[in-house]
Amino acid sequence: MGMELNETSAGAEGLLAEGIDTPCVVIRSEAVDANIAAMAAEAARRGVRLRPHVKTHKLPELARRQVAAGACGITAAKLSEAEVMADGGIGDIFVAYPVVGAAKARRAAELAGRVRLIVGVDSLAGARQLSAAAEAAGLALEVRLEIESGLQRTGVPPEGALALAREIAAMPGLSLTGIFTYRGAMLGGAPTLDLRAAGHEEGRLMAGVAETLRRGGVAIRDVSVGSTPTAVYAAEIDGVTEIRPGTYVFQDRMQTAFGVCRPEDCAAEVWATVVSRPAPDRIVIDGGSKTFATDVQPDKPPLHLQGFGRVIGLPHAVFERMNEEHGVIRISPEDTCEPGDVLRIVPNHICSTVNLHGSVYVSGKSGLRRVPVAARGCIQ
Amino acid sequence: MGMELNETSAGAEGLLAEGIDTPCVVIRSEAVDANIAAMAAEAARRGVRLRPHVKTHKLPELARRQVAAGACGITAAKLSEAEVMADGGIGDIFVAYPVVGAAKARRAAELAGRVRLIVGVDSLAGARQLSAAAEAAGLALEVRLEIESGLQRTGVPPEGALALAREIAAMPGLSLTGIFTYRGAMLGGAPTLDLRAAGHEEGRLMAGVAETLRRGGVAIRDVSVGSTPTAVYAAEIDGVTEIRPGTYVFQDRMQTAFGVCRPEDCAAEVWATVVSRPAPDRIVIDGGSKTFATDVQPDKPPLHLQGFGRVIGLPHAVFERMNEEHGVIRISPEDTCEPGDVLRIVPNHICSTVNLHGSVYVSGKSGLRRVPVAARGCIQ
């Protein structure tokens, strides 16, 4: 089975003959490499560092491919994710999340003894714990201050950044070297499809905060921004030094709807078997909410995705509902689709979908390999 | 740490001192035992067999507790889940799902050589594969026909049941011994809060189908119905022989809203640390959609749950939004809640929440034990 899967290859039956059963995630390696190369080229062209978020694939081997293709290091969301990647040979890791708690601060200090580690901070409480742990370990822990830029989750608002940055910069054991934010595709506080304007707004906001901090006496070197839809545009703004896209490695139905990629760039699919056709216009597949993530719901702005995924080869099918082990798809009564057929589906959101799977199957010239999702469930 | 957690015990700090970090699932063992005993008593009082669905806990040790408390066996959704439970010492397993595919049929036959196994069927295609695999293995595989009873997913409609049942009953290698359905809390085709009427309707429909099959010459012994909200009412109908509730073992916020249990009966909680309070009315916890399931969304009928979980001790808090690692909770500006605080949260849907976690922490008289979720991710 040396065939490379593409949008039109049937494939499924041959691969299932190799002993792989459904439902499962199949990753098309050639498409992954093309996505990795394309983003690396975009970052290089704009003169910013690329630090991909590994939360999308959770696979050390893909993190290594990203670094080999020019990434300066990786981004992780949690320390446990970073620890797995360090074990997998990655030597430069940014935990882009406020690390809070004495136990986690000690783990951060331990990890900083093994790799170049940068951690996020957005509160005095968190910074003090990191400071104490770093001092106890006898090292200078590199931290970046998270800036709230419109998503209304973590991060200090720009107007509070200078006061907090000064306090953190003065703490022993810490080295405040940068600021970061994440907000995805937002413009003027609302979700948007105008990715260029969104990226420019994000970049300008962050470059402005960095300037404010520098004028206030805090030496800010790194200005780090998101995200697959906006990164290449934010990178066009002077002062932005680093981008942290994640989803681009696989792309997904959400990114396709954003216009970030073509359908055929989606490198990760779920394969599922039709287990029932109880009505002419309804089939049920053997994957539900334990197989496909439900965090990106249909019909939500700005994308208004119809259903939970795109069924390759059945353009009018609507993946309407899920229970844990059932996926209910509305089809046309004329569609030929019977129990036993295997469908290939591009999920709405690939990152949280991969997180459901203990292993994935990576296709390539030499066939399919089963690869454990080493950083699956790394929430701590 | 011999303290038993309850609704009012602070607990979190002491347990965290034992080296457990957030976010994590904590299971209160005493509440589990009370839930197991209560459902066993309900089933016994009504003279039906109890065959709990293990998809809620995914833990062989809790399946064994259920059997020890009187369950006739267990229910699983997928063969892989059944295989884990067989390995864990469970000897009587019903896979309440249409098993489709030649490879799965062979696995079913293999498992039927180790334990008493019953599998679901709702199509000729699936039945033929099971028949062939059972014949090849030289055994009579017990199957039950799934009946569509209103949920519009898998199952043959009642009017088509007799014809299909006759064909399946005639197949070599198969022993058609029962019918089953699942529909949750539905009445007259729509979601309902009238659980008694819903359960009675479900029970009458299934008893009626069983009678039709018997009159048509198909010997139907077992008539098996769902679900935590409706099981005890369906069991009141003559002809129903078995109930398959799952969620009752832990209960959850959905069941509390159904009125099935009290808030303090919820035996599984997520513990999460506040990592940021970027505004007086907003906190962010270190658990998002990789920690709490998103399949039961807020504001959906019939329950209209507000937010993604109930925050114990903060009755007015609304768990409004999640990203993968962020949970955004709206609180009152007067609430004292700062980075580092640990919150206990009862999720909307505990089954799919447990599925996200590689291990859980089970509390008891002798403290907290870390238990791997052996059947996590068993989707195949």
Side-chain angles (χ1 to χ4, degrees), chain A residues 4-330:
Chain A
E4 178 70 10
L5 284 170
N6 59 40
E7 275 282 304
T8 51
S9 66
E13 289 69 20
L15 293 171
L16 290 174
E18 294 188 30
I20 293 150
D21 210 344
T22 67
C24 62
V25 169
V26 175
I27 292 168
R28 299 189 298 118
S29 210
E30 237 175 49
V32 168
D33 288 339
N35 292 337
I36 288 175
M39 187 60 83
E42 294 276 10
R45 185 177 314 134
R46 288 166 170 87
V48 297
R49 280 187 293 280
L50 171 61
R51 186 183 283 281
H53 206 307
V54 299
K55 64 151 192 153
T56 302
H57 54 69
K58 303 173 177 67
L59 303 174
E61 73 168 68
L62 292 196
R64 291 193 297 267
R65 280 200 223 175
Q66 289 171 310
V67 170
C72 69
I74 62 160
T75 304
K78 295 290 183 76
L79 282 169
S80 52
E81 202 169 45
E83 288 158 349
V84 168
M85 291 294 157
D87 293 344
I90 304 297
D92 187 333
I93 305 175
F94 172 32
V95 176
Y97 194 87
V99 173
V100 170
K104 287 201 175 69
R106 285 191 296 272
R107 281 168 57 203
E110 194 278 331
L111 186 58
R114 296 204 280 147
V115 298
R116 180 196 174 193
L117 179 72
I118 316 161
V119 302
V121 63
D122 86 342
S123 70
L124 278 179
R128 285 183 184 124
Q129 290 167 323
L130 290 168
S131 168
E135 267 216 294
L139 50 82
L141 181 62
E142 196 174 333
V143 299
R144 292 179 178 174
L145 180 63
E146 182 170 7
I147 307 296
E148 149 66 21
S149 62
L151 201 54
Q152 303 275 311
R153 52 181 208 190
T154 45
V156 60
E159 60 274 17
L162 179 58
L164 184 56
R166 281 176 168 156
E167 290 205 69
I168 293 168
M171 289 184 188
L174 299 187
S175 172
L176 175 62
T177 56
I179 58 174
F180 74 104
T181 198
Y182 177 83
R183 66 172 199 176
M186 303 270 286
L187 185 63
T192 184
L193 292 175
D194 187 346
L195 305 179
R196 182 179 300 270
H200 288 177
E201 187 181 79
E202 178 184 357
R204 285 197 193 97
L205 184 149
M206 290 296 285
V209 171
E211 271 314 299
T212 301
L213 298 198
R214 289 179 192 124
R215 280 197 303 269
V218 182
I220 292 298
R221 183 187 63 208
D222 302 313
V223 178
S224 176
V225 300
S227 67
T228 292
T230 62
V232 298
Y233 304 113
E236 295 173 345
I237 302 299
D238 278 349
V240 169
T241 67
E242 179 184 284
I243 58 175
R244 305 187 321 279
T247 312
Y248 80 95
V249 68
F250 290 155
Q251 304 291 9
D252 61 13
R253 190 163 178 246
M254 203 172 19
Q255 300 304 329
T256 309
F258 269 126
V260 163
C261 65
R262 303 165 301 172
E264 59 265 37
D265 297 325
C266 294
E269 309 166 356
V270 173
W271 291 12
T273 298
V274 177
V275 294
S276 184
R277 187 173 182 171
D281 65 345
R282 186 170 84 246
I283 54 173
V284 181
I285 56 171
D286 60 355
S289 62
K290 287 168 65 177
T291 298
F292 299 88
T294 50
D295 57 342
V296 174
Q297 292 271 313
D299 302 319
K300 292 285 171 78
L303 296 178
H304 300 283
L305 295 169
Q306 202 183 19
F308 288 100
R310 177 172 68 88
V311 184
I312 294 176
L314 289 176
H316 304 297
V318 180
F319 189 170
E320 284 186 331
R321 287 184 289 137
M322 290 195 272
N323 296 112
E324 282 148 88
E325 304 286 8
H326 297 74
V328 181
I329 301 178
R330 182 159 44 81

Side-chain angles (χ1 to χ4, degrees), chain B residues 32-42 69 248:
Chain B
V32 168
D33 289 340
N35 291 337
I36 289 175
M39 187 62 82
E42 293 276 10
Y248 80 94

Side-chain angles (χ1 to χ4, degrees), chain B residues 192-210:
Chain B
T192 184
L193 292 174
D194 187 345
L195 306 180
R196 182 179 301 270
H200 287 177
E201 187 181 79
E202 179 184 357
R204 284 197 193 98
L205 184 149
M206 290 296 286
V209 171

